Amino acid sequence: MKVRIDEDLCTGCELCSDDVPEIFEMGDEVAQVKQPDVPEEHEDAVRQAAEDCPSEAIIVEE
Ligand code: SF4
């Protein structure tokens, strides 16, 4: 499973980096993905983060 962030949509709300800091971190203004290839133990949390993102900026590729 892979994950990326659409930087044009991200508003920098920090929800994803707070919820799954193993995978997401804040850049200057928008979130960044630390590990595009998501380890299995974090897959559910990343799916949840994508659902919770208020901007629908987290793109999951199963
Ligand atoms: S939850 Fe969505 S809008 Fe908020 S920082 Fe993460 S990617 Fe950006």
Side-chain angles (χ1 to χ4, degrees):
M1 172 180 154
K2 289 183 180 286
V3 66
R4 60 189 171 89
I5 288 175
D6 186 328
E7 295 188 354
D8 292 332
L9 294 178
C10 175
T11 60
C13 75
E14 302 187 15
L15 187 65
C16 58
S17 56
D18 283 350
D19 282 354
V20 200
E22 298 86 353
I23 303 297
F24 303 106
E25 64 184 352
M26 293 309 298
D28 287 339
E29 293 182 2
V30 298
Q32 297 176 335
V33 174
K34 294 165 76 172
Q35 293 193 66
D37 291 308
V38 180
E40 202 172 330
E41 67 264 34
H42 298 308
E43 288 187 348
D44 286 347
V46 168
R47 286 189 193 99
Q48 189 64 53
E51 274 187 34
D52 293 345
C53 172
S55 307
E56 299 185 0
I58 299 175
I59 298 152
V60 170
E61 294 169 2
E62 299 284 353

